[in-house]
Amino acid sequence: MKSTKRAWIIILGVVVVGLLIAMFVAFNTAKTTQTTKFYERAGITYSANGEIQFSADKAEFKYIVVDVYNIRGYKNVGDSVAVISSSIGRNELDFEKLELLQQNGVIVNYTDPNAGSAWSSLIMPILTIGIGIAIVFIFIRQMNAGNRGAMDFGKTKTQVTNNVKVRFSDVAGAEEEKLELQEIVDFLKNPQKYTELGARIPKGVLLVGPPGTGKTLFAKAVAGEASVPFFSISGSDFVEMFVGVGASRVRDLFNTAKRSQPCIVFIDEIDAVGRQRGAGLGGGNDEREQTLNQLLVQMDGFEENEGIIIMAATNRADVLDPALLRPGRFDRQIYVNMPDVKGREAILKVHARNKPLASDVNFKILARLTGGFSGADLANLLNEAAILAARENRKFITNVDLYEGINKVVMGPQKKSRLMTETDKRQTAYHESGHAILAKLLPNYYPVQEVSIIPRGRAGGYTLARPDRDDNYITKDFLLDDLVMTMGGRAAEAIVLKKVTSGPSGDITQATRIARAMVTEYGMSDKIGPVSYGNNGEVFIGRDYQQREPYSEDTAKVIDQEIRDLINNAYQKAVELLTANRAFLDVMARVLIERETIYGEEVDMIMDGKTVQEVLDFMETKDNTNPIERAESTMKRNDEQTPTNE
C-alpha cells in the first residue's frame, strides 16, 4: 500500500515538472516570435546577405520606448496615437537594430537594460528549474528514506546511555544484592585481577523478584558504578509479527554492543522473549522462538562476546526456558526480595532526599507501619504525601500527610462525600467492629491500627491491622485466627442485624483463598496431611491438555469438605466470640457512628470496658494529635506486651 502511494507521488511529480518545462518553452517561443514581428513593423529587415537594414516605407513607428520588461512603439492613426508593445527578454534586446532606427530618425528612449533586464529575463527560468530540482530531490529523499526504513526494520531499538548517574547509594534495602553485583562492577573495572586467577565472570545476571523491588534500578547502578555504556531494551521490542525480525535485532544488538566493550546490555521483562519453547496449545510462536534461539547463541554460542555482560529482569522466572538459565548464559540469578523494616527505613530516607519534611517525621515508625511495601510503594507513598501537602498549601510534608499516603497506597483515597444512609452506616459500623474486636481477642493476630467507616476504594469501611514486625513464616495458628477475623464482619451482621447481606462478599472470597492454600499447599489439614495438591505452577494453556488432575475424585471431595469445614468453623468461632463480647461490639459501633474513625488507643479503651462517652471525651483531647504519634504509642504498648527481637 505504501509503495503504491509513493509511486503515484513520483509520477505526479514528474508530470508537474514536465508541465513547467513545457510552459517555459512555450512562453519563450511566443515571446521571441512577438519581438521579431515588432522589429519588422519598425522597418527593420534583412538584406540578401543577412545584413540588417532599415526600410523607410515599411516603418510604422516614429517613437519607441524601451524599459525593463517590454518595448513599445507609437504610431499615428488618424488623429490618435496607437501603441504596439512586446515583451522582451535579455537576449532579445538588439542594440544594433535600435541604433539603426535612431540613425534613421526614429526616436528611441530606453533605460539601462542591465538595471533590471537580467532579473526580469532570468527569474522565471531559474525559479522553474529550482522548483523542479527541489521536487525531484524531495522524491528521491523519500524513496531513500523508505528503503532505509525497510533495511532498518531489523535494527535494534535499544537505548544507549554512556553516563549513567545512578549509584549503589541510590539503591537501599538490599545489601546482599549489592554485594553480589559488586563483583560485576569490579570485573568491569579490573578484569585482569580475575583473569590472572583463571576466574570467568558471569556472562549473564538475572534479577528476579516481585514488581517494584528495584531490579531495573540495580542494573542502572551497576553501569553507573562501573562507568560503562548501558544498553537498555525491553523483551517485547524484539518480537514482531514477521519471522526473523527479532533474531536480526538480537544480532544487531550484540554487534552494536561489541563496539562499546566493556558494556552492560540490560533486557527488561525478559519473559516476553524468553518463555519456554514449544509450550502451550498448538505449539509455539515461530518468531519468538527464533528470537530466543538467537539470544541463546549470542550469549553462549560460536562467537565470543567477552566484555559484554547481559543483565535481565523478570518477575516470572517460572516461565523462562531452561536453556536460558543454564550456566554459561545466565550464570547468576539474584533474587531481589521485598525490603524488611530496616530496608524500608533506608529506602524512605533515599526517596525523601529532595522533599522538605517536618522535623518530627520518624522514618523508623513509618517503616514499621509499611510492612509488605516494596520500594516502588514507598516511593509512591512519599509522592502521595507531597501531593497532599501541596494541596493543603503546606511548605513541609507532615506526619498527617504521610499517614494518609500510607492508607491511600493500600486502599485508595477516602470518599467522604459519598452519601450513606443511616442503615448502611450502622451496618458498616457493626461490620468493621466485628473485625476489630476479633483482631484484639485472637492471640495470634496483628495489632489494630485504625478502624473507619469512611469508604476507601471499593470498600465501604476498613479495619487496618498491620504487622509491626517482619515474620518470615506463617503459622497455622495465625491462619486459623486470620480466618476467624476475616469472617468477623459477617458474624457481627448476623448477630445484630439478623440478616445476611452482600457486604461480606470480599471477606468470603479472601477466607476461601486462605483455607484452600492451607489445605492444598501448606499441608495444614488433619485429614489430607502434608501433601501438596495445589497448583503446580502451570501457566501455559494446553501443555497438559487432557491430562488428569494429580489426585482422585475422592481426594477432591475431601479437599472441598476440608475447605468448607475450616471456613464454617471459623465463622462459628467468630459468632461465639462476638456473642460473648456483645457489649464491646455495641460500644465500638456507636463510637464509629459518632466519629467515623478510631485508632488503636480507642480500641484498647473499648476492650478495657470504657463507656461510649469516656471514649468520645478521650478522642476530644486527641483531635490535634497526628495519627503517626498515635500509631507509635500503640506500638509501644504492643512491644511491652510482646517484646521483639529487634
Side-chain angles (χ1 to χ4, degrees):
M1 185 66 182
K2 291 183 179 179
S3 59
T4 304
K5 184 177 180 180
R6 188 178 294 110
W8 278 108
I9 293 175
I10 295 173
I11 293 173
L12 180 61
V14 173
V15 171
V16 170
V17 173
L19 289 175
L20 290 174
I21 295 174
M23 291 173 61
F24 174 73
V25 173
F27 174 76
N28 281 278
T29 302
K31 186 167 63 175
T32 301
T33 303
Q34 186 178 6
T35 306
T36 302
K37 291 181 179 180
F38 181 89
Y39 284 126
E40 290 177 354
R41 298 183 69 172
I44 297 297
T45 59
Y46 292 90
S47 62
N49 58 3
E51 295 180 353
I52 300 174
Q53 60 185 11
F54 174 76
S55 300
D57 56 337
K58 295 183 178 180
E60 298 182 12
F61 306 131
K62 299 299 182 183
Y63 185 75
I64 295 176
V65 177
V66 180
D67 60 21
V68 176
Y69 299 105
N70 56 28
I71 181 170
R72 297 186 301 276
Y74 295 85
K75 69 177 182 177
N76 295 324
V77 179
D79 296 332
S80 60
V81 178
V83 180
I84 305 298
S85 63
S86 173
S87 298
I88 59 175
R90 180 178 177 85
N91 297 327
E92 296 165 1
L93 187 60
D94 196 329
F95 294 104
E96 186 178 356
K97 293 178 181 179
L98 293 175
E99 290 177 0
L100 181 61
L101 291 174
Q102 286 180 311
Q103 293 173 3
N104 289 275
V106 179
I107 299 174
V108 179
N109 289 329
Y110 57 90
T111 60
D112 183 7
N114 295 323
S117 60
W119 172 260
S120 60
S121 60
L122 293 178
I123 183 64
M124 283 303 295
I126 292 176
L127 183 62
T128 303
I129 295 173
I131 293 174
I133 293 174
I135 293 174
V136 172
F137 177 76
I138 291 172
F139 288 152
I140 293 174
R141 186 174 181 179
Q142 287 184 346
M143 292 178 62
N144 291 335
N147 293 332
R148 286 197 302 270
M151 297 300 294
D152 292 344
F153 197 61
K155 298 294 184 182
T156 181
K157 299 180 180 180
T158 184
Q159 298 180 358
V160 185
T161 306
N162 291 315
N163 187 17
V164 180
K165 303 295 184 181
V166 182
R167 298 293 185 269
F168 278 148
S169 58
D170 299 315
V171 185
E175 300 305 320
E176 290 77 9
E177 290 83 348
K178 288 183 185 179
L179 184 61
E180 290 286 323
L181 293 172
Q182 186 63 46
E183 296 178 1
I184 307 296
V185 175
D186 195 26
F187 171 78
L188 291 171
K189 288 184 175 180
N190 306 300
Q192 187 176 359
K193 181 175 71 172
Y194 292 87
T195 55
E196 288 178 351
L197 296 174
R200 180 182 60 83
I201 201 68
K203 293 185 177 180
V205 179
L206 181 64
L207 300 171
V208 184
T213 50
K215 299 182 291 294
T216 303
L217 193 63
F218 263 121
K220 291 181 179 179
V222 172
E225 290 285 346
S227 300
V228 296
F230 183 70
F231 294 78
S232 59
I233 190 171
S234 172
S236 60
D237 288 336
F238 290 112
V239 182
E240 294 285 352
M241 64 179 294
F242 303 107
V243 177
V245 174
S248 175
R249 289 179 178 174
V250 171
R251 290 191 294 269
D252 183 69
L253 171 62
F254 279 85
N255 289 334
T256 305
K258 287 178 183 179
R259 294 192 290 268
S260 301
Q261 294 180 2
C263 64
I264 291 176
V265 175
F266 177 65
I267 305 175
D268 198 10
E269 305 296 344
I270 194 174
D271 52 275
V273 69
R275 285 175 172 254
Q276 296 180 24
R277 292 165 290 182
L281 189 63
N285 181 300
D286 285 342
E287 163 61 3
R288 183 181 57 77
E289 292 188 4
Q290 286 195 21
T291 306
L292 174 58
N293 291 338
Q294 187 63 50
L295 180 62
L296 296 175
V297 171
Q298 291 291 342
M299 291 188 68
D300 186 23
F302 301 107
E303 297 184 14
E304 291 293 332
N305 293 314
E306 297 295 339
I308 301 176
I309 294 179
I310 311 297
M311 298 188 70
T314 182
N315 49 25
R316 298 296 308 277
D318 56 318
V319 304
L320 296 180
D321 195 274
L324 194 62
L325 303 177
R326 73 160 175 81
R329 289 179 180 137
F330 282 112
D331 307 82
R332 183 167 297 184
Q333 299 179 30
I334 299 176
Y335 192 90
V336 185
N337 294 281
M338 298 288 281
D340 57 12
V341 63
K342 293 183 179 179
R344 293 194 296 272
E345 183 179 353
I347 292 172
L348 286 168
K349 291 179 180 179
V350 168
H351 290 295
R353 288 174 180 172
N354 61 340
K355 295 178 175 62
L357 301 176
S359 58
D360 59 344
V361 171
N362 190 327
F363 288 113
K364 187 172 183 179
I365 299 300
L366 285 174
R368 294 186 65 180
L369 287 173
T370 51
F373 277 42
S374 66
D377 292 331
L378 295 172
N380 190 28
L381 182 161
L382 287 170
N383 184 63
E384 291 291 347
I387 293 173
L388 291 171
R391 186 184 300 170
E392 298 296 330
N393 297 319
R394 286 191 284 268
K395 298 299 182 182
F396 298 93
I397 300 173
T398 64
N399 281 316
V400 175
D401 302 319
L402 292 168
Y403 191 82
E404 178 60 24
I406 294 173
N407 291 344
K408 194 172 182 181
V409 170
V410 174
M411 293 173 296
Q414 283 187 343
K415 299 181 180 179
K416 294 183 178 181
S417 61
R418 180 185 293 179
L419 295 177
M420 295 181 65
T421 63
E422 290 300 322
T423 301
D424 288 345
K425 197 172 184 179
R426 181 169 180 265
Q427 176 183 336
T428 305
Y430 274 103
H431 181 103
E432 299 304 332
S433 297
H435 287 308
I437 290 173
L438 289 175
K440 293 297 294 184
L441 293 174
L442 297 168
N444 302 294
Y445 205 69
Y446 300 135
V448 177
Q449 297 288 347
E450 181 182 350
V451 185
S452 177
I453 60 173
I454 300 175
R456 275 188 184 272
R458 299 176 60 184
Y462 57 91
T463 299
L464 289 182
R466 294 193 182 99
D468 56 1
R469 303 187 295 273
D470 292 309
D471 294 326
N472 294 323
Y473 303 104
I474 303 175
T475 64
K476 180 179 180 181
D477 291 336
F478 171 80
L479 290 176
L480 291 174
D481 286 354
D482 193 6
L483 284 175
V484 176
M485 187 269 184
T486 303
M487 299 303 296
R490 181 184 174 102
E493 292 182 16
I495 293 170
V496 179
L497 305 178
K498 306 297 182 183
K499 59 183 178 182
V500 177
T501 68
S502 61
S505 60
D507 296 336
I508 295 173
T509 301
Q510 182 180 355
T512 304
R513 180 183 58 80
I514 295 171
R516 182 172 295 278
M518 292 176 65
V519 174
T520 61
E521 297 180 36
Y522 303 151
M524 294 180 179
S525 169
D526 295 333
K527 293 182 180 180
I528 298 297
V531 181
S532 175
Y533 294 108
N535 186 4
N536 58 2
E538 185 55 61
V539 295
F540 299 105
I541 298 177
R543 167 179 282 188
D544 296 326
Y545 184 62
Q546 293 184 342
Q547 181 175 336
R548 293 180 54 194
E549 293 291 340
Y551 48 83
S552 65
E553 293 184 3
D554 292 337
T555 303
K557 292 179 181 179
V558 176
I559 291 174
D560 292 340
Q561 186 62 46
E562 279 289 275
I563 294 172
R564 190 180 300 111
D565 289 344
L566 283 172
I567 296 175
N568 288 338
N569 292 338
Y571 178 71
Q572 292 300 323
K573 185 174 181 179
V575 171
E576 293 173 3
L577 289 173
L578 292 178
T579 302
N581 296 274
R582 173 66 185 271
F584 299 152
L585 187 65
D586 292 333
V587 172
M588 188 176 293
R590 290 176 59 187
V591 174
L592 282 172
I593 292 172
E594 183 70 23
R595 298 299 297 266
E596 292 186 335
T597 301
I598 62 177
Y599 297 93
E601 290 177 293
E602 289 82 31
V603 174
D604 290 341
M605 290 181 64
I606 293 171
M607 299 304 294
D608 290 338
K610 303 296 183 181
T611 64
V612 174
Q613 192 59 46
E614 288 175 328
V615 176
L616 294 177
D617 291 342
F618 174 78
M619 295 183 70
E620 288 289 340
T621 65
K622 292 289 186 179
D623 278 347
N624 294 326
T625 305
N626 68 67
I628 296 290
E629 291 181 0
R630 306 190 69 181
E632 183 178 3
S633 63
T634 301
M635 289 179 184
K636 289 180 180 179
R637 290 196 307 274
N638 294 330
D639 291 342
E640 292 173 358
Q641 298 172 4
T642 308
T644 65
N645 295 325
E646 297 176 338

